Amino acid sequence: MSISSGKITVRVNYGIRVKEVRVIDSNGEQLGILQVRDAIKKAEELGLDLVEVAPTAKPPVCRIMDFGKYKYELSKKASESRKHQTVISVKEVKLRPRTDDHDVEFKTNNIKRFLEEGDKVKVTIMFRGREMAHTQQGRVLLDRIVKDLETVASVEQRPLMEGRNMTMMLGLKK
């Protein structure tokens, strides 16, 4: 049997396809180089599994252990490492160049709240039709937002024109 956990493939018991292996017992003591069938027989007598731990060694190294318990401990380590990761999401706020003052204030308050929650914010100004001839209005609007949030936010990416959208990235000020 061959079990794959993520990128690592672990061969167990009859999945081990070599003639001889170096065997380590459940206490960590070396039993020497044995035939695979003898090593499996020894593991089964103890009610445990023969697990290949170093397949590239000559001969491969196998350990007699409880494979179920080993898999459980690996999954616990993996979940523990995931627990300590921080996930930063990017929130997007979309505006138009002629957005009303009250609406801009409302969106600015949302941006402030997102930043305080630990997210990054992508502010997008969408231009349609003839508005493309007046992209400076969008730049003025983004400058106003930066000025309103200067105590909380820092600009991580300056305003950039991408097709019909002008985008800017904001992060929490350090």
Side-chain angles (χ1 to χ4, degrees), residues 1-169:
M1 180 161 114
S2 164
I3 305 293
S4 177
S5 61
K7 294 177 186 139
I8 303 166
T9 302
V10 180
R11 288 193 276 273
V12 183
N13 293 335
Y14 295 101
I16 301 170
R17 296 277 177 227
V18 291
K19 291 183 178 180
E20 293 183 330
V21 291
R22 183 177 304 277
V23 181
I24 301 172
D25 71 359
S26 57
N27 300 327
E29 295 175 22
Q30 287 203 22
L31 300 179
I33 297 172
L34 301 174
Q35 297 287 320
V36 171
R37 63 178 177 272
D38 296 335
I40 292 172
K41 201 177 290 180
K42 196 171 279 256
E44 286 175 348
E45 287 172 7
L46 297 170
L48 300 172
D49 301 301
L50 185 68
V51 181
E52 192 175 48
V53 291
T56 56
K58 297 287 183 211
V61 180
C62 292
R63 181 177 218 127
I64 296 175
M65 66 170 82
D66 184 353
F67 186 64
K69 185 177 177 182
Y70 176 68
K71 276 192 346 186
Y72 174 75
E73 287 170 356
L74 283 179
S75 69
K76 279 300 209 186
K77 281 182 189 175
S79 68
E80 191 66 31
S81 68
R82 279 194 303 272
K83 203 182 288 185
H84 295 296
Q85 289 179 342
T86 57
V87 177
I88 298 173
S89 63
V90 177
K91 302 279 189 174
E92 185 172 17
V93 175
K94 292 185 176 183
L95 298 160
R96 298 285 307 280
R98 299 189 61 201
T99 304
D100 194 49
D101 290 343
H102 176 265
D103 296 330
V104 172
E105 289 173 22
F106 188 82
K107 298 274 188 175
T108 304
N109 288 335
N110 282 344
I111 292 169
K112 186 176 183 178
R113 181 169 49 87
F114 293 150
L115 290 170
E116 288 170 348
E117 289 173 1
D119 299 323
K120 292 180 187 276
V121 179
K122 180 180 182 180
V123 183
T124 303
I125 309 286
M126 300 177 296
F127 297 96
R128 290 196 188 135
R130 293 183 182 167
E131 292 173 347
M132 284 298 292
H134 304 286
T135 56
Q136 70 276 6
Q137 287 180 333
R139 173 101 38 195
V140 168
L141 184 56
L142 289 176
D143 290 340
R144 175 182 166 195
I145 291 171
V146 169
K147 186 175 155 283
D148 290 347
L149 295 170
E150 66 187 351
T151 58
V152 187
S154 65
V155 178
E156 292 190 356
Q157 179 187 332
R158 302 291 317 150
L160 183 69
M161 201 66 191
E162 297 172 347
R164 294 188 161 274
N165 297 327
M166 183 180 287
T167 60
M168 173 177 70
M169 199 68 133

